[in-house]
């Protein structure tokens, strides 16, 4: 690349080639638009069969995977991920089922703060 002038799409194409994935959704959201990332825990409910249903909403327009830390009574922490494909399909909410056992006491989106969510106040649910 000596004396050449790389453009953003040179970088984008290189990243896609190395990752083996089409990332147009990422480039559009983070480089071409002014959308914001805002994921929220919409609801947590115990079902009749003992499972817990967690509903997460993509409040902002930016699609990103959802990384969840689910804490049960007794301190056990479960890690779950909702893939970005859910949002890319046009859905605004996604749900996961946690099998019966100790009650869920806390749900947190992105506990390591890896993403730049604009409103972290809606990322945590506590019983």
């Amino acid at each position: 690349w000596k004396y050449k002038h790389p453009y953003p799409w040179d970088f984008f194409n290189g990243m896609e080639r190395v990752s083996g994935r089409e990332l147009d959704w990422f480039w559009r959201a983070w480089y071409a638009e002014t959308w914001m990332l805002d994921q929220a825990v919409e609801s947590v409910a115990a079902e009749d069969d003992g499972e817990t249903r967690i509903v997460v909403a993509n409040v902002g327009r930016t699609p990103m995977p959802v990384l969840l830390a689910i804490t049960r009574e007794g301190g056990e922490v479960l890690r779950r991920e909702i893939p970005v494909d859910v949002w890319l399909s046009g859905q605004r909410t996604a749900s996961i089922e946690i099998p019966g056992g100790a009650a869920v006491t806390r749900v947190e989106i992105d506990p390591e703060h890896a993403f730049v969510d604009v409103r972290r106040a809606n990322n945590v649910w506590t019983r």
Side-chain angles (χ1 to χ4, degrees):
W1 285 94
K2 190 174 183 179
Y3 305 116
K4 294 187 180 185
H5 301 283
Y7 293 95
W9 49 86
D10 295 317
F11 172 72
F12 301 160
N13 290 333
M15 298 307 284
E16 289 182 1
R17 190 173 46 257
V18 170
S19 70
R21 293 194 62 178
E22 180 272 311
L23 298 171
D24 289 349
W25 60 270
F26 181 84
W27 307 126
R28 179 175 183 202
W30 291 104
Y31 292 95
E33 302 290 348
T34 58
W35 298 341
M36 291 185 240
L37 175 65
D38 187 12
Q39 298 171 336
V41 178
E42 191 167 276
S43 66
V44 178
E47 301 289 320
D48 292 335
D49 58 2
E51 290 187 342
T52 301
R53 180 183 179 87
I54 301 168
V55 179
V56 175
N58 187 22
V59 180
R61 292 199 58 195
T62 300
M64 289 296 283
V66 179
L67 308 175
L68 290 169
I70 302 150
T71 307
R72 293 182 134 175
E73 233 170 42
E76 176 189 14
V77 178
L78 307 172
R79 300 289 180 158
R80 298 291 186 270
E81 180 178 338
I82 299 172
V84 71
D85 299 332
V86 170
W87 314 129
L88 295 177
S89 72
Q91 294 184 59
R92 301 302 292 164
T93 62
S95 63
I96 62 168
E97 303 287 332
I98 302 300
V104 171
T105 58
R106 180 180 168 91
V107 176
E108 184 173 4
I109 296 173
D110 188 25
E112 287 83 22
H113 296 219
F115 299 133
V116 290
D117 195 304
V118 296
R119 223 173 24 161
R120 291 207 173 269
N122 61 9
N123 286 14
V124 178
W125 172 91
T126 306
R127 182 176 67 164

